[in-house]
Amino acid sequence: MKTFKIGGVHPEAQKLSNEVSVETFPLPKQATVFVTQSLGAPAVPVVAKGDKVKVGQLLAKAEAFICANVHSPFSGTVNKIEPVADFTGYKKSAIVIDVEGDEWDESIDTTEDIVSEIKLNREEIIERMKACGIVGLGGACFPTHVKYMLPPGKSADFILVNAAECEPYITTDYRMMLEQTEACLIGVEALLIASGAKQALIGIENNKPEAIKKLKEAVKTHPKIEIVPLKTKYPQGAEKQLIQALTGRTVPNGKLPIDVGCIVNNIATTHAVYEAVQKNKPLIETYTTITGKKLEKRKNYKIRLGTPLKDVLDTVGIPENTGKIISGGPMMGKAIANTNTFFVKGMSSILFLDASESKRVPESGCIRCGKCIQACPMGLEPYLFRMLAVQHRLEDLEAHGIMNCIECGCCQSGCPAHIPLLDTVKTGKSQTGTMIKSRQAKKS
Amino acid sequence: MSGNVIILAVIVLGIIGLTAAVLLFFISKAFKVEENPMIDEVAALLPGANCGGCGFAGCRGLAEAIVKSGNIGELRCPAGGNSTMENIAKLMGLEAVAAAPVIAVVRCNGTCENAPAKVNYDSMPSCFFANSLYAGASACPYGCLGCGDCVEACRFDAIHIDPVTKLPVVDENLCVGCGACAKTCPRHIIELRDKGTSGRVYVACMNKEKGAAAKKNCSAACIGCGKCAKNCPAEAITVENNLAYIDFRKCTLCQTCVSGCPTGAIHFSGATSEPEMEQKADE
Amino acid sequence: MSENLLQVSGAPHVHNGESTKRIMWTVVIALLPAFMVSIFYFGLPAIILTAISVGSCVLFEYLIQKFVLKTKPTISDGSAVVTGILLAFNVPSNLSWWLVILGAFVAIGIAKMAFGGLGNNLFNPALVARVFLLISFPVQMTTWPEAKPIWNFGFADVVTGPTPLGILKEGVKNGGTVSQLMGSESMPDYLQMLVGQMGGSFGEVSAIAILIGAIFLLCRKVITWHIPVSFLLTAFVFAGILWLVDPTQYATPWFHLLSGGMMLGACFMATDMVTSPMSARGMLIFGFGCGVLTIIIRLFGAYPEGVSFSILIMNALVPLINKAFKPTPYSKQ
């Protein structure tokens, strides 16, 4: 069975909400839509206070190269545009909408019918993805259309679809594969057209046998798509690891997947692409797992962007003694510092950790066991990074390849001395990156 | 027999020693680096803390720069201050420009009481990292994170985190104004201000949010009301982006603003801080 | 106050539960089979010496941390216990109690704490102490009580005898051939060597018991296979080549694997996390060096046994090995 070559860990899967079908979360009374919903620059609002908006109407336009359009997930009136705190507590520009009814833009096909035939050509599909504000839903929220604007001289051999869902707890991709099988595959077909690639490989970890079975059955009518079961190991879904697992190719340092002829997308993104290409529906919803060991009402929700997080927390009820709430999975997700915030693109999970497992164990001295090295899927030396980062030796950090760190957290999750390895590595990486940038700026 | 061994050992070791000495002599000749001895002399006059306040990597860097350029000009050791610069000038036969001594000032008053914590930070004790993770325990995105990067940066042991307020406190006597703390603070809360003879007045807040938003997280925040600017007899105060700033070049230390600030965001501190003492006594 | 607040921390938010404490106590458990065998063959003194060694190691660590370094004592992490057991395992069972305490002081005080405590020591503390004792008190450290099953044990007459390696070293030096010496009366046969009925430091005699412990450690992922396998394999191959060259001068490779501290050294001493290399390739090199040096010292050196010396020498090379043998980066695969 295929997997990536070195490192990796096996965190407890905890797929507690596996069997819960996706539910649509009810509309809120007031919603707040951030204009920054992707990696890169913020989008520029095109509506003003008092404007009436419909579902799917453009709210903020992407003007920078790496940026994604933001559409209204609701119909109603724009109440105000002001800075609002996101889950970190930092304020970002957001559009507040008073929700009135649920009136959709006429250009959007709101029926449940599956549209199989793809009528758009390559350029039109890319343009549609851009117009609909599709971003990578694996977590990084990179605008998808940018990936398909291939640099001159480069071509794609493979579309790789990440259906590994290697993060513990999260189950939305799994539900998506079971419930929206055909839609996802049509999305993949659209991506094949958009890229000019000959083949698409969907990588699924073998702890999801039902999804593998269902997809294998469904791809019989899609000759260009192949389902590849993968050995369960975290971080299978990381771009570089998935490429290695599926194609055996390795992305050289500082290069992009397209340099080895691959484009990687998440399975949830393919669904969003399907909706955009076939139904002209912009990305206005997020599929989110609400889970936690102590949570009784575990859910897989389809939530409109901009819905207050508080509404969801009130609906499911925060379990007693919750010590930490995480947006995303427990390995790479971010702790929520401000619960008074709103759903954004790519918020794939809300995870409640009990107080007993949320407080970190105090660190003790490094015993040089080398477990961080064994766990690192990039073949790096986290213990060394930590040592160098503490001493601010940025040149040495660069020489030892800190910029290749993918921040998967494998090192820290298995450190017997409970050293906050990833904290220090992230700090060192960020400072080294700044140093490299200023050096390049000096040169040019 | 034993005598022979001793003589043999002495001869062998002697030859080894001699050869090594000759080799070393020639090697040191061959690889000798010519350097202006003046650099060493200047470096000896510098404090040797390598704080980086001068803009060079260490004291030697500054010494080299001074000697190589042949004049002092803008080069300055903030840690050593005027006396050090005079000594160097004397040594080099140059004229030193005296500069007013500066001191680090912490422009945040988000104590545990003024800005109560809403979440608990549980990661590496680094302001840099905390800054990348969240807005702060009190949710003020401009406030002190309290992890002590400034304490670590200080080579003079002049700044410490107060265990009660969780804010850094500058030791007036030890701070040399090198600015290492100001450079390292990810939120630029620490400012170098004129030390002054009798103290200094400053706005202990960096919050640029609108008044209500700032006040929500911290009762001691500057709300940008502009009262201080209006009442300042020296016209030293400007309000920009909802935040007051006192120009220390114009400030006369009259302290009208300190008592007049509705949130108590303006502070006076100094060696002879009598008005503050009185105020405390009143409370 | 902060109890009820939500925690904010960087990813990852889960941990696999591994801890230094768990690792150390797992090693202690893995050492139990060898301890049982030593009780079986050497009786009460084995228990007493182990207790003294462990007790004094823990005490020294506590005292040094509390009063010299003024830090919070971390004796519950079990590392001092492991050092204590390993030190005891590396001495003859009739060693005076005060020598063991001296050894414990050298191990903890000099080899461990002076270097900065757990994680910072360059050399394996137990081995430093053993070599210190061996060089300072050669007579006491090389007077080996004979291994006798516990029912034959009498306090009154402790019979001492040489170790298999000692017999060989002396014999070959005096002009004997290996086959003659192997046939001599005091030489144990392979089966006896396997289960541990031979003279030697009381914890190192039983290859079987040590292997059981090592397999346990492997299963619990406390150690990896690299060091023991490369150590033993190198020693086996190297000794085998010499044996093929001149079987009258050099013993069989089997003999080398089963005698002396080879098993204990390869499975428990060389694999000490703190003093062994970090990457897989580094570990292989480390084991290779240990194997070669052991055989060289055993066959050509002044001492009959070379495991401790070889591991200590390789310990000193670990920083270099760590620099030279990095893990293979992703991009080079």
Side-chain angles (χ1 to χ4, degrees), chain C residues 41 60 73 83 112 116 128 138 161 175 181 218 225 247 276 320:
Chain C
Y41 285 120
F60 281 131
T83 302
K112 190 174 172 191
V128 170
L181 294 163
L218 278 172
W225 58 271
S276 63
L320 276 179

Side-chain angles (χ1 to χ4, degrees), chain A residues 87-91 324 335-338 340 358-361 363 390 392 420 422-424 426-428 430-431 434, chain B residues 118-126 128-136 139 141 145 152 187 209 213-214 216-217:
Chain A
F87 69 89
T88 62
Y90 285 115
K91 294 194 175 166
K324 200 190 278 181
I336 294 178
N338 170 30
N340 210 354
S358 51
K359 190 106 175 101
R360 285 195 181 171
V361 177
E363 72 171 287
V390 168
H392 301 290
L422 191 57
D423 292 2
T424 36
K426 275 182 182 166
T427 304
S430 147
Q431 288 169 349
T434 313
Chain B
K118 297 185 180 70
V119 289
N120 182 40
Y121 179 71
D122 182 31
S123 261
M124 182 175 80
S126 152
F128 185 91
F129 186 68
N131 186 45
S132 70
L133 207 59
Y134 77 140
L145 292 157
E152 205 201 326
R187 294 196 161 168
E209 289 171 310
K216 202 178 137 203
N217 294 325

Side-chain angles (χ1 to χ4, degrees), chain B residues 2-27:
Chain B
S2 63
N4 280 344
V5 170
I6 291 170
I7 291 166
L8 199 69
V10 168
I11 292 172
V12 169
L13 284 178
I15 291 172
I16 293 174
L18 213 67
T19 327
V22 171
L23 270 177
L24 266 179
F25 176 75
F26 283 108
I27 289 172

Side-chain angles (χ1 to χ4, degrees), chain A residues 296-315:
Chain A
E296 276 166 24
K297 287 193 231 166
R298 296 182 193 121
K299 298 286 183 189
N300 288 305
Y301 274 137
K302 180 162 90 173
I303 302 175
R304 299 270 177 99
L305 303 174
T307 304
L309 177 61
K310 273 265 195 282
D311 284 10
V312 174
L313 298 186
D314 290 344
T315 307

